[in-house]
Amino acid sequence: MIPVIPVDLTRVFTTNDAPSFSEEKALKHAVIELEAQLESIQQKLRQHQGALSAIRRLPCEVLGRIFCHALGAPAPLNALGREWLRRLGQVCRSWHEASLLEHQLWSSLAGERGTYDEVTTWLKRAGNLPKSLLLTMDKEYCDIDGTANSPAAKLLSDGLALDHLYLTCKRVGDVALLIKHLSEISGTRTSPRPWDTLRSLGIDILDECDAFDDTYGRYIPPRDILSLIPPVKSLTVCLPSKEYAYEGYEYRFARDVPIGIPGAVLSGLTTFIFSCDWEGVHVLDMLQHCTNLEHLILLYNDPTVIDDAEGQRFPPGGITLPNLRSLELRHPSPQVKFLVYIVTPRLDTLSIQNDYSPLDESISTIKVFIERSEIEHTLSSFRLHNVSAQPSNFISLFDSMPALTQLTLQSVSLKEGFWYTLGKRQRIRQLERLEVLEVPIAQGQRIIKHIVEFLQARGRKKCDVIVSFPDPPISPYEERESLIAGAGNLEEFDIDLRVVRASETRISGVNIRTPYWFWSR
């Protein structure tokens, strides 16, 4: 490269005269040099500013908790989640140390295709924390020998101790052979296996047309699987829809198929989640044994079609669940009638998702259930989801709930005078938390004003209020300021009002098949 001969540029900088050819060449060269120097200075500036970054001062424990939040721990990490965890650990040495020190990141694993060594190596990094595993039975084992040699069988017979196990399968034969194999070798081991020491177990048979056949096309009833499960504290059972398990008029046969969970297992449960749309009294049969149950979630079950013989076995209020604290009914049409048969003297949380049926016919059922269980003054939390038409007797429901401290109404269409009537009749005055979710934006300001007036009528009482709307084209701050305008002095009445987007509160969409709290308990 030919060096540029220095040129005196004083004339150019002190006048408005055009530069000569040599001066122009010198100027361009100088600009290139100055830009290179500027880029070098800016790079050094970024390095210095980066060295002063507050994130460098974060302890590894805090970084680890941030990683947990970002990856959704303690829910099991699938292949994508594991890849992201590895990338976080490759940023720098301190991030690598933080990822290894946060044992919760390694305690739950979705082992779809992992080998025995890969899964055990991963879970060992969790130290002494309880370990959770989600196994997807995506391979079809044609015989018991194939099952015995599978990674799943080895993990559950020779692997690390597990607290939570969730099995999903496309064909019932896969999980049936696995459970049969594990039960057959139970008497051959002197020390407990992971299968024997589980605290939580989930069995999910996916909705596929051939779901209730083994690999030879033979029918496998639930009792051939569930009668062999170990004693656990938490059990999730998701059976395939009757339209897949049975065909045509064979639907009626599902009524007489025993589920087969041993009474000894049911009596030890504290949490039970059951998903099934088969007609019959399957749930009532099982609940007779659930004397220690504390949490119950039912999905799609219809125990209300009871014949004369069954009516003698299950009279109204004939099943007492003495320790039940929370009850959730999802898609309850006509499942709310299930409440006719149970008594829950310690219930404090009731949640109902009403997707298909009018609520009018269910109000009296709920009220009678509360009265029969004598929980008017202990029921503290009520959640109602998806009511498109408010029944005329809706207000009367809250006459049975004077002790409510938490109320959630999600996608519930409220009549104009709902909050005014509640305040006038002095109902649910003990509220500490109120959530009114997925409200049409057009009703926003009016509903918030009515809610605030209802709460202010109680006097100064602390209450946290969350109101959510579909994502509007305004910022959360502008949204709150515009929607609470004219609502009154919130601070004076100790009301903490938050206005958020519906996406931040849409928790009812959690799939019952893999509930988040299954892994967090």
Side-chain angles (χ1 to χ4, degrees):
M1 181 177 181
I2 301 175
V4 177
I5 301 174
V7 176
D8 185 4
L9 298 174
T10 303
R11 183 186 70 83
V12 178
F13 294 141
T14 57
T15 70
N16 285 329
D17 295 342
S20 63
F21 176 78
S22 60
E23 289 173 335
E24 182 178 354
K25 188 174 181 179
L27 284 169
K28 290 181 178 180
H29 181 74
V31 166
I32 293 174
E33 287 188 342
L34 290 172
E35 286 177 343
Q37 293 175 21
L38 178 60
E39 183 177 352
S40 176
I41 293 172
Q42 287 177 334
Q43 183 178 359
K44 291 180 179 179
L45 178 61
R46 288 192 293 269
Q47 289 177 338
H48 285 69
Q49 290 174 333
L52 293 172
S53 173
I55 198 171
R56 290 196 174 203
R57 295 183 174 85
L58 287 179
C60 286
E61 294 81 3
V62 176
L63 279 174
R65 296 308 301 164
I66 294 174
F67 296 165
C68 284
H69 179 74
L71 296 174
L77 295 182
N78 56 19
L80 180 60
R82 297 194 294 273
E83 178 60 27
W84 276 109
L85 178 55
R86 293 189 186 97
R87 292 186 182 185
L88 288 172
Q90 293 171 352
V91 170
C92 61
R93 183 172 59 251
S94 62
W95 283 37
H96 179 69
E97 293 174 356
S99 66
L100 293 177
L101 288 174
E102 184 51 63
H103 290 172
Q104 193 176 58
L105 289 167
W106 310 90
S107 64
S108 298
L109 179 64
E112 298 96 334
R113 296 176 177 82
T115 65
Y116 170 81
D117 291 335
E118 289 171 343
V119 174
T120 52
T121 299
W122 185 280
L123 293 177
K124 281 181 180 179
R125 294 172 181 167
N128 295 324
L129 285 184
K131 298 171 180 61
S132 305
L133 185 61
L134 187 155
L135 285 177
T136 300
M137 309 288 290
D138 59 352
K139 295 181 179 180
E140 298 177 3
Y141 304 110
C142 295
D143 50 42
I144 195 67
D145 293 332
T147 300
N149 296 322
S150 67
K154 188 170 179 60
L155 284 166
L156 297 176
S157 57
D158 302 319
L160 300 175
L162 295 173
D163 275 65
H164 311 289
L165 173 67
Y166 203 96
L167 292 173
T168 69
C169 64
K170 295 180 179 180
R171 298 173 63 96
V172 68
D174 299 338
V175 71
L177 287 175
L178 174 63
I179 293 177
K180 180 181 179 182
H181 167 69
L182 293 171
S183 64
E184 287 178 347
I185 65 173
S186 60
T188 64
R189 302 295 177 89
T190 56
S191 58
R193 301 160 302 148
W195 175 253
D196 301 316
T197 58
L198 292 171
R199 284 198 305 120
S200 300
L201 173 63
I203 297 177
D204 180 4
I205 302 170
L206 301 178
D207 293 349
E208 293 201 357
C209 293
D210 58 354
F212 241 66
D213 295 332
D214 65 8
T215 51
Y216 296 108
R218 294 175 301 202
Y219 172 77
I220 298 180
R223 65 172 178 267
D224 287 1
I225 308 169
L226 302 177
S227 62
L228 302 176
I229 63 176
V232 291
K233 291 296 183 182
S234 175
L235 177 63
T236 298
V237 175
C238 298
L239 298 179
S241 173
K242 61 185 178 183
E243 66 181 277
Y244 298 126
Y246 304 92
E247 294 181 0
Y249 293 105
E250 292 183 356
Y251 285 172
R252 65 182 184 274
F253 297 136
R255 181 183 189 87
D256 302 319
V257 175
I259 301 301
I261 302 175
V265 173
L266 292 170
S267 64
L269 291 180
T270 58
T271 300
F272 187 28
I273 303 175
F274 186 65
S275 171
C276 175
D277 68 345
W278 303 0
E279 293 181 358
V281 292
H282 304 295
V283 168
L284 298 181
D285 268 327
M286 292 184 288
L287 289 182
Q288 294 180 102
H289 305 281
C290 297
T291 53
N292 291 300
L293 200 61
E294 298 178 9
H295 309 283
L296 175 62
I297 300 179
L298 298 180
L299 173 63
Y300 276 128
N301 190 266
D302 182 359
T304 61
V305 184
I306 293 182
D307 58 28
D308 293 339
E310 292 168 340
Q312 295 177 5
R313 293 173 54 210
F314 304 110
I319 299 176
T320 299
L321 302 174
N323 297 309
L324 194 68
R325 303 296 300 273
S326 68
L327 172 61
E328 181 174 350
L329 305 178
R330 299 190 184 182
H331 303 279
S333 173
Q335 191 186 53
V336 168
K337 292 183 179 178
F338 158 78
L339 298 175
V340 170
Y341 305 98
I342 64 171
V343 175
T344 59
R346 297 189 64 190
L347 192 73
D348 57 41
T349 301
L350 177 62
S351 177
I352 296 176
Q353 182 170 320
N354 190 80
D355 273 11
Y356 300 117
S357 65
L359 191 62
D360 300 76
E361 60 191 38
S362 303
I363 295 293
S364 58
T365 301
I366 298 172
K367 292 169 62 177
V368 171
F369 160 71
I370 293 174
E371 181 179 355
R372 184 194 310 117
S373 298
E374 298 182 351
I375 55 176
E376 297 94 332
H377 302 291
T378 56
L379 186 64
S380 59
S381 177
F382 179 60
R383 181 184 185 92
L384 185 62
H385 176 212
N386 203 4
V387 177
S388 57
Q390 181 184 323
S392 57
N393 59 345
F394 189 45
I395 292 288
S396 68
L397 178 62
F398 298 99
D399 294 340
S400 304
M401 306 177 181
L404 281 188
T405 58
Q406 178 165 334
L407 173 63
T408 300
L409 301 175
Q410 180 172 353
S411 297
V412 176
S413 298
L414 299 173
K415 291 183 178 179
E416 180 68 26
F418 173 76
W419 296 107
Y420 172 77
T421 306
L422 275 185
K424 184 178 180 180
R425 296 176 60 175
Q426 302 289 300
R427 296 296 179 256
I428 54 174
R429 293 177 54 82
Q430 306 305 317
L431 279 183
E432 298 174 1
R433 184 176 180 85
L434 173 62
E435 298 176 348
V436 184
L437 309 179
E438 300 186 23
V439 176
I441 190 67
Q443 303 175 17
Q445 194 167 16
R446 184 175 69 255
I447 285 183
I448 288 181
K449 183 176 184 295
H450 292 166
I451 290 174
V452 171
E453 289 175 348
F454 158 70
L455 294 173
Q456 289 175 340
R458 311 181 310 164
R460 183 178 176 84
K461 289 186 179 180
K462 174 67 176 175
C463 189
D464 295 324
V465 182
I466 296 179
V467 182
S468 76
F469 300 90
D471 297 349
I474 52 178
S475 71
Y477 176 78
E478 293 172 330
E479 178 180 304
R480 182 181 189 277
E481 291 303 305
S482 62
L483 290 173
I484 68 174
N489 190 336
L490 303 179
E491 290 75 15
E492 179 183 346
F493 292 90
D494 206 4
I495 300 172
D496 183 7
L497 173 63
R498 284 190 292 154
V499 178
V500 299
R501 304 183 189 280
S503 56
E504 300 176 42
T505 57
R506 194 172 290 123
I507 63 174
S508 65
V510 176
N511 192 339
I512 194 173
R513 293 185 176 272
T514 52
Y516 171 82
W517 59 267
F518 182 90
W519 311 104
S520 60
R521 294 181 66 82

